[in-house]
Amino acid sequence: MAITKIHSIVATVQKAVDYICNPQKTDEKLLVSSYMCNPSTAQKDFMRCLKMNAKGIDKSKSKENFYKMLNGVKANHLIQSFLPGEITKEEAHEVGEELARRLLGNKYQYVIATHVDKNHIHNHIIFCDVDMIEFKRYNKTYWDVRKLNDELCMERGLSVLDINKVNRRGKSYKEWYEGKKYKSWKDTIRLNIDFAIKNSYSYESFLKIIELKGCEVDDSGKWLKFRLSEGEHTRWCRARSNTLGNEYTREAIKERIRNKSNNIKVNKFIDTDSNKYKNNYFLKRWAKIQNVKNQAEMMNKLNDRGFKSIYAANERLKELDALIASSDILIDELEEKNKILSSIINAHHIYNDNLKYFQNYNSSKDKEKYFERHESEINNFISAGELLLKYKIPFDYDINNYIDQLNENNKEITKYRNRINPLVEERADLLKILNELDKYTKGIEEHSYSTHENNSNIEH
């Protein structure tokens, strides 16, 4: 079960990167990787994109506004934690890299480090707040991260965090609310939302139920809005994370309803050979009967999904695997193209940013002294030029064509992922039922064989 958290870094980017790359935490840095930057110079690497963003936004070109922009958010720190024993350190690092690819679309510089110094393996991902393609600020929400994270977990057979437990600290919201001396009007709205979610089967039914609870709803604009029908406070309240909380935005409410309706309870197979049942005839007999009942319940779940037999369900599982695999191949091809495009675009920007230093070096009377002062800029210029030559890109080429192609590829990737997501959900649902049925079938077959063998011995 991967849990995600994210927060902004305003000041000490390099200090944060150095911390997550600690050799004692990352298996001597074997579990550290990066994209379009060097972990040892991450802050300096990020600064080029941050400066370009500040120049682009600062219309007045005043130094004061320019440095004000630079003193804002510099990077974001994403933490992805896994349950103890659920994943290996190598797999965890792969999941972290895949999350970064999907979230950042090969546009942002980042460093990933997998920590193995605690009983739960966890990833740290630090990425620049400005992309290196169009120099725009990162603008995704926590729920975008959460959605991608859950998709990855489902694809890899990892458990998914129950959204109702997010941001809870020991008590449910209801318990916390009832323990307060003062109940605000926002608290009342939150409780009404919780009640409506609990008693609804769809987003449409949620909207009807919450109105019956005394909350007016406006779902027509950018923000979902609520207000109490009675009481002193009857002004509209936007369902935003900074007003009602992360669990009460439109996206979160829909996901809570979806998780509630999709939650499949699977009764686990009871091992009747364990000590608890082996030495108690009546308890063992009850467990065997329960296993048969649970097996029938699992078969009903298959029937509800349109499968008349386990064979038919397994055939559908094979079909889903093939569909998902074929889409993954197309996505991988597009992502490989995007890596090359990102490299070319980044090299183009670096080449033009540092061209003046190389020109000044050529015209300088004391080349050695000038090189000492601007060695980094000149080396960056040469490296960028070599990469452009490698891909046969003219130095005066309109880079916007490559940016458009990268954005188009990202749209295609999103389209393929949107097609895969329902297939992945169906596969996880089906696999859960089939795995439990397999246990029941084997367990009952073994019991039948054992009973037959004992009866044969008695006859002889």
Side-chain angles (χ1 to χ4, degrees):
M1 181 187 295
I3 303 170
T4 50
K5 299 177 183 178
I6 189 166
H7 61 268
S8 302
I9 300 175
V10 177
T12 55
V13 175
Q14 195 58 52
K15 187 176 180 181
V17 172
D18 290 343
Y19 165 76
I20 70 168
C21 295
N22 186 334
Q24 295 178 345
K25 297 175 180 289
T26 58
D27 200 6
E28 297 301 320
K29 292 193 175 183
L30 291 175
L31 299 171
V32 174
S33 58
S34 61
Y35 181 70
M36 293 292 179
C37 66
N38 190 314
S40 61
T41 59
Q43 181 162 330
K44 186 178 178 182
D45 296 338
F46 289 4
M47 192 54 67
R48 184 182 67 83
C49 294
L50 291 163
K51 284 180 179 177
M52 291 298 291
N53 171 263
K55 285 178 182 177
I57 293 175
D58 177 27
K59 304 299 182 185
S60 67
K61 306 294 180 185
S62 70
K63 285 187 178 180
E64 184 182 349
N65 286 338
F66 177 76
Y67 287 110
K68 187 177 179 181
M69 289 301 304
L70 284 184
N71 288 332
V73 175
K74 293 181 175 64
N76 297 285
H77 187 168
L78 172 60
I79 302 170
Q80 182 187 40
S81 302
F82 303 91
L83 283 178
E86 190 175 39
I87 195 168
T88 66
K89 58 187 180 182
E90 292 82 9
E91 288 172 335
H93 197 73
E94 283 179 17
V95 172
E97 289 182 318
E98 182 63 21
L99 177 62
R101 277 196 296 272
R102 293 192 188 184
L103 181 67
L104 305 174
N106 295 306
K107 285 187 171 186
Y108 294 79
Q109 299 159 299
Y110 60 78
V111 178
I112 300 177
T114 302
H115 284 194
V116 292
D117 58 321
K118 294 183 179 178
N119 64 342
H120 66 284
I121 297 172
H122 56 283
N123 289 323
H124 291 268
I125 305 172
I126 294 178
F127 60 93
C128 183
D129 194 59
V130 172
D131 77 80
M132 58 186 179
I133 308 300
E134 298 171 283
F135 307 115
K136 293 180 180 179
R137 289 277 177 178
Y138 174 80
N139 62 357
K140 288 187 171 66
T141 67
Y142 165 78
W143 296 106
D144 293 321
V145 180
R146 175 67 199 288
K147 183 173 180 288
L148 287 171
N149 182 67
D150 286 356
E151 287 172 8
L152 273 171
C153 287
M154 291 180 70
E155 288 172 18
R156 292 175 176 259
L158 301 171
S159 50
V160 177
L161 182 66
D162 181 0
I163 195 168
N164 293 308
K165 296 179 182 177
V166 177
N167 290 336
R168 295 288 170 84
R169 303 193 180 195
K171 295 182 180 180
S172 68
Y173 184 81
K174 184 173 183 295
E175 291 170 328
W176 174 82
Y177 170 83
E178 290 175 346
K180 285 180 67 179
K181 291 181 180 178
Y182 171 73
K183 280 77 174 176
S184 73
W185 59 280
K186 287 183 182 179
D187 293 330
T188 305
I189 290 175
R190 290 187 192 99
L191 278 178
N192 287 339
I193 292 171
D194 290 340
F195 176 87
I197 290 172
K198 184 179 179 181
N199 293 281
S200 61
Y201 57 88
S202 68
Y203 183 66
E204 289 71 26
S205 66
F206 161 81
L207 295 175
K208 293 176 182 177
I209 291 169
I210 197 166
E211 285 194 340
L212 293 173
K213 281 291 290 179
C215 258
E216 294 180 36
V217 187
D218 181 358
D219 193 31
S220 60
K222 179 181 178 181
W223 301 103
L224 175 64
K225 293 188 288 187
F226 300 97
R227 73 176 175 187
L228 298 175
S229 303
E230 298 177 356
E232 296 179 11
H233 297 280
T234 56
R235 68 172 183 258
W236 287 104
C237 175
R238 289 179 177 178
R240 297 170 63 179
S241 57
N242 62 348
T243 53
L244 293 177
N246 288 335
E247 295 180 57
Y248 299 94
T249 63
R250 182 191 278 122
E251 295 78 12
I253 289 169
K254 286 182 177 179
E255 189 173 353
R256 287 171 67 181
I257 294 167
R258 187 165 57 249
N259 284 356
K260 173 178 168 287
S261 60
N262 289 341
N263 186 27
I264 305 164
K265 286 189 176 180
V266 175
N267 296 317
K268 299 293 183 182
F269 173 74
I270 303 170
D271 183 8
T272 55
D273 290 329
S274 64
N275 292 333
K276 180 180 178 180
Y277 300 96
K278 192 160 54 176
N279 300 321
N280 188 321
Y281 170 79
F282 295 102
L283 190 60
K284 186 172 185 177
R285 184 171 177 273
W286 170 86
K288 287 174 181 176
I289 294 169
Q290 199 64 35
N291 277 340
V292 173
K293 286 181 178 178
N294 290 340
Q295 184 188 31
E297 188 180 333
M298 290 295 101
M299 284 303 302
N300 286 335
K301 289 184 186 295
L302 280 186
N303 291 334
D304 291 342
R305 286 154 179 77
F307 302 107
K308 295 182 179 179
S309 66
I310 294 175
Y311 174 80
N314 275 314
E315 288 300 301
R316 175 57 179 167
L317 200 62
K318 291 177 185 176
E319 184 183 358
L320 288 169
D321 285 339
L323 289 169
I324 293 168
S326 61
S327 294
D328 281 340
I329 290 170
L330 294 171
I331 290 170
D332 288 343
E333 287 176 357
L334 286 169
E335 285 187 337
E336 283 303 314
K337 289 178 181 177
N338 275 1
K339 284 181 183 178
I340 295 171
L341 286 170
S342 294
S343 299
I344 292 169
I345 295 164
N346 193 41
H348 174 88
H349 290 314
I350 293 172
Y351 179 89
N352 286 298
D353 288 348
N354 295 290
L355 175 60
K356 61 183 179 182
Y357 295 103
F358 188 74
Q359 290 172 338
N360 291 340
Y361 167 75
N362 281 333
S363 61
S364 175
K365 292 180 180 179
D366 190 342
K367 286 185 170 55
E368 187 175 340
K369 189 175 181 180
Y370 187 86
F371 184 81
E372 285 178 4
R373 280 165 42 208
H374 299 287
E375 180 179 358
S376 175
E377 291 86 351
I378 293 169
N379 285 336
N380 287 339
F381 170 82
I382 293 170
S383 298
E386 287 174 347
L387 190 140
L388 293 172
L389 286 171
K390 175 185 174 182
Y391 291 108
K392 300 178 181 178
I393 309 299
F395 295 117
D396 59 348
Y397 191 81
D398 185 0
I399 204 65
N400 289 320
N401 292 332
Y402 284 90
I403 294 173
D404 291 342
Q405 184 60 58
L406 186 141
N407 288 332
E408 195 60 38
N409 287 350
N410 277 330
K411 286 179 184 176
E412 285 293 304
I413 289 170
T414 301
K415 184 176 75 175
Y416 285 127
R417 291 212 187 281
N418 288 338
R419 288 179 185 173
I420 288 177
N421 289 342
L423 302 179
V424 170
E425 289 177 9
E426 183 185 349
R427 184 185 182 280
D429 170 75
L430 199 55
L431 192 61
K432 191 174 184 180
I433 296 170
L434 287 172
N435 283 342
E436 283 305 311
L437 263 174
D438 189 53
K439 292 177 188 176
Y440 286 125
T441 305
K442 286 179 179 177
I444 291 169
E445 284 177 353
E446 287 172 4
H447 166 64
S448 300
Y449 176 78
S450 175
T451 304
H452 174 74
E453 192 178 54
N454 289 337
N455 288 339
S456 300
N457 289 338
I458 290 169
E459 288 172 6
H460 290 300

